[in-house]
Amino acid sequence: MTYSRLIAGTMTWGSWGKQLSKKEMAALMDFCVSNHITTFDHADIYGAYTTEADFGKALLDSGLKREEIQLISKCGIQDVCDNQNNRVKHYNYSKDHIICSVETSLQHLETEYLDLLLLHRPSPLMEAEVIAEAITILKKDGKIKDFGVSNFTSSQMDMIGLRMDIDVNQIEFSLTQHSAMHNGTLDYMMTNGIKPMAWSPLGSVFKEDNEQSRRVHKQLGELMDKYNATEDQLLLAWIMKHPAHIHPVVGTTTKERLKLAIEAAKIELELEDWFLILVAAQGHEVP
């Protein structure tokens, strides 16, 4: 399965963020596809279990052909909200729940299949054999094409991967959260042919004002003219230079920022510049 180099994250499209109207969602989908962002990342819990349905209605109005796009969704997190009868936030990876979650997502997204299903977060109670049974049924019935995980460690991928193929692991990865480079997670994925996707790819650079962010802003500022790029473009280019071929999940709904993100894929950072940016984030040179 081929996913677009940049992935449109829909978490803030609905009630958890911009509260886009059906018309606005349809227009944003069309803009993304027209600019080679054809993969849309969902989770059943987004918008307190409402964003998938909002997206699905907009998709019907958009005029886009289903085969032109790829739809990702995640299941497993059971949140406490008005739309769910849960006493406590928890994870559920029973066979019946996984299958039911996918069928509900398909209904909400107005589609017959997901291109990719992800287990949203690892559960201490998950059983690989049970998960494998559910995924086997879903694939056999044509309801999902690919299967993956999200926020899983190497050992957790190993446990699940012994029973079924894992195509993707969507992890938190950015300049300010790059532990996956050092704890073996990305190494494991490259070794086993698992495609990495990165949520929150800009990290905390624009969210926090501290010594680290000030160092990063200074270093990025010194490179902006050289690459004719903005700071956020350089942060995305830094991620995409990694040999694991990481796909950033970009959460913005602003067309101008989406355009900048798309252009970032064309930036090839020089080797020493990549390390200069890393050093700025770490606050010390590499060993």
Side-chain angles (χ1 to χ4, degrees):
M1 174 57 62
T2 300
Y3 305 96
S4 54
R5 190 68 181 93
L6 287 147
I7 295 170
T10 66
M11 187 175 74
T12 63
W13 286 31
S15 64
W16 279 3
K18 299 298 182 179
Q19 301 183 26
L20 300 178
S21 67
K22 181 168 66 171
K23 183 178 180 180
E24 289 170 330
M25 277 197 186
L28 187 54
M29 291 177 207
D30 184 67
F31 176 84
C32 287
V33 173
S34 297
N35 287 276
H36 310 293
I37 299 178
T38 60
T39 305
F40 297 89
D41 179 72
H42 289 271
D44 55 358
I45 65 168
Y46 289 169
Y49 301 90
T50 65
T51 301
E52 285 187 329
D54 291 340
F55 184 97
K57 293 182 181 73
L59 180 59
L60 288 179
D61 282 4
S62 70
L64 293 172
K65 296 179 180 178
R66 178 62 180 89
E67 59 270 20
E68 293 178 330
I69 64 173
Q70 302 84 46
L71 295 178
I72 302 170
S73 194
K74 312 177 195 75
C75 73
I77 299 178
Q78 288 291 279
D79 213 350
V80 177
C81 65
D82 292 340
N83 296 317
Q84 293 289 313
N85 186 27
N86 295 319
R87 291 181 293 116
V88 62
K89 186 178 182 180
H90 62 283
Y91 309 122
N92 188 341
Y93 290 125
S94 66
K95 182 175 75 171
D96 289 346
H97 181 77
I98 293 172
I99 293 173
C100 181
S101 293
V102 169
E103 290 174 343
T104 301
S105 289
L106 296 180
Q107 180 182 359
H108 287 168
L109 290 167
E110 302 285 353
T111 185
E112 295 181 351
Y113 65 93
L114 294 175
D115 296 277
L116 174 63
L117 171 70
L118 302 176
L119 306 183
H120 205 156
R121 285 190 178 274
S123 169
L125 298 180
M126 62 187 177
E127 298 179 71
E129 293 83 0
V130 173
I131 294 169
E133 287 181 28
I135 300 306
T136 299
I137 292 171
L138 289 168
K139 284 191 172 184
K140 181 181 178 182
D141 292 345
K143 294 177 180 177
I144 66 171
K145 289 189 174 183
D146 281 357
F147 165 73
V149 296
S150 183
N151 305 296
F152 275 49
T153 65
S154 300
S155 61
Q156 290 162 343
M157 284 186 282
D158 222 7
M159 180 180 71
I160 299 297
L162 288 175
R163 279 77 179 180
M164 74 206 89
D165 290 337
I166 297 175
D167 301 298
V168 170
N169 186 9
Q170 188 178 121
I171 59 174
E172 182 180 9
F173 188 79
S174 66
L175 178 64
T176 54
Q177 176 49 274
H178 54 261
S179 59
M181 288 197 310
H182 305 300
N183 63 17
T185 302
L186 283 175
D187 297 339
Y188 181 94
M189 284 192 268
M190 286 192 288
T191 300
N192 291 277
I194 299 172
K195 189 182 299 297
M197 295 178 180
W199 60 270
S200 191
L202 300 183
S204 62
V205 173
F206 300 107
K207 297 176 182 177
E208 299 179 6
D209 181 17
N210 53 33
E211 289 186 11
Q212 181 191 49
S213 63
R214 288 191 287 273
R215 289 195 308 267
V216 170
H217 284 304
K218 181 177 184 296
Q219 182 59 71
L220 294 177
E222 294 173 0
L223 294 172
M224 287 170 62
D225 285 344
K226 178 176 180 178
Y227 290 97
N228 189 28
T230 61
E231 288 185 281
D232 51 342
Q233 285 180 311
L234 292 173
L235 290 170
L236 292 173
W238 186 86
I239 290 174
M240 290 187 281
K241 187 175 177 64
H242 194 280
H245 199 69
I246 300 167
H247 290 244
V249 179
V250 181
T252 184
T253 59
T254 305
K255 292 179 180 179
E256 292 75 15
R257 291 188 62 194
L258 281 169
K259 283 184 178 180
L260 290 173
I262 294 159
E263 292 299 315
K266 302 175 184 178
I267 299 171
E268 181 60 38
L269 290 175
E270 293 180 7
L271 179 66
E272 291 191 27
D273 289 339
W274 190 91
F275 277 97
L276 281 171
I277 296 171
L278 175 62
V279 167
Q282 293 182 153
H284 58 80
E285 66 180 15
V286 297

